[in-house]
Amino acid sequence: MSGGGCGISSLMEYVMMRKSSPPPFLMKTYMLVEDPATDGVISWNSEGTGFVVWQPAEFARDLLPTLFKHSNFSSFVRQLNTYGFRKAATSRWEFCNDMFRRGERDLLCEIRRRKAWANKPQPVAPPPSLPKESDEDQSPSSTSSSSEYSSLMDENKRLKRENGVLSTELSIMRRKCKELLDLVAMYATNSEREEEEEEEVSDDIDDERPKLFGVRLEVEGGRERKRKRSAEINENAARLLLSQSCK
């Protein structure tokens, strides 16, 4: 009985010790904050009521793997959230918990991990998934793509305007060409008609011309008048075509 009682007592003491010891996550975090060698990366705030991660990238790369099995800053922030830590500033990664204070390690035992079914506070926003350098690298590319797209749209509009102007000029030239062809056809018809009339007059004149051995003699001046008339018609037609083409 005494041996059994001793075993139960030892078990109870072990359980009580387990209950009174803080969770490993909190102990490791407290150690990182307390270490003066890491003050440039993580340290207490000026009041000692919370801690600040000054260099998140260096913290995740160099310090997290030394005490945790990962190097993910987002996972570290989510773990803080499950223990009731809150982000105390918007301009830096500062976290606070009423039981997490400088020089008061014993208070860590009062911090309890929140149950999955409990109402959770507003979660701490995780850091951006991509480092700042990547965002800066992508920004010029996005701006460049937008600028190229705007340039293409402006070029397309300019080509459409030029196409409209060329179409209008082509329509005008076609109309002028048609008018010129109509004028040429009209003058050609008038010229043929006048030539026919002159031939009829010439025939009448030929009837009055004297004959020599049965052949009528050419009257001087009649053919000359006919040639001058034809030359005047051709000259007028050429002048009209030239004036129309210059408009």
Side-chain angles (χ1 to χ4, degrees), residues 138-154:
Q138 290 181 358
S139 179
S141 175
S142 176
T143 303
S144 176
S145 299
S146 177
S147 177
E148 291 177 0
Y149 178 76
S150 299
S151 298
L152 289 176
M153 291 297 294
D154 293 340

Side-chain angles (χ1 to χ4, degrees), residues 6-22 109 112:
C6 181
I8 293 174
S9 176
S10 298
L11 180 60
M12 291 296 294
E13 289 178 1
Y14 174 77
V15 171
M16 293 301 295
M17 289 179 60
R18 291 284 297 178
K19 286 185 177 181
S20 61
S21 61
C109 298
R112 293 289 181 264

Side-chain angles (χ1 to χ4, degrees), residues 231-243:
E232 290 176 357
I233 292 174
N234 293 334
E235 184 180 355
N236 291 334
R239 186 180 296 109
L240 181 60
L241 289 174
L242 181 61
S243 63

Side-chain angles (χ1 to χ4, degrees), residues 113-201:
R113 185 182 180 91
R114 296 180 182 275
K115 302 294 183 180
W117 47 264
N119 293 329
K120 296 183 179 181
Q122 185 68 26
V124 177
S129 58
L130 294 176
K132 185 176 180 181
E133 290 78 10
S134 298
D135 294 339
E136 292 177 351
D137 291 342
Q138 290 181 358
S139 179
S141 175
S142 176
T143 303
S144 176
S145 299
S146 177
S147 177
E148 291 177 0
Y149 178 76
S150 299
S151 298
L152 289 176
M153 291 297 294
D154 293 340
E155 181 68 13
N156 188 33
K157 292 179 181 179
R158 185 183 66 80
L159 291 176
K160 284 184 178 180
R161 288 195 300 269
E162 291 182 357
N163 188 36
V165 172
L166 291 175
S167 298
T168 303
E169 292 179 353
L170 181 59
S171 300
I172 294 173
M173 293 302 297
R174 285 178 176 173
R175 186 174 66 252
K176 287 186 176 182
C177 287
K178 185 177 182 303
E179 293 175 355
L180 290 175
L181 291 175
D182 292 342
L183 288 173
V184 170
M186 181 182 67
Y187 276 101
T189 302
N190 293 337
S191 178
E192 291 177 358
R193 187 176 301 162
E194 290 177 358
E195 288 180 0
E196 291 176 357
E197 292 176 354
E198 289 182 358
E199 287 178 358
E200 292 177 358
V201 173

Side-chain angles (χ1 to χ4, degrees), residues 33-34 39 42-54 88-89 92-96 100-103:
V33 178
E34 278 279 278
D39 284 352
I42 181 173
S43 68
W44 294 104
N45 60 14
S46 58
E47 297 83 7
T49 56
F51 66 93
V52 182
V53 180
W54 303 102
R92 61 185 183 181
W93 293 102
E94 181 177 352
F95 304 95
C96 294
F100 195 92
R101 297 174 177 273
R102 181 171 51 199

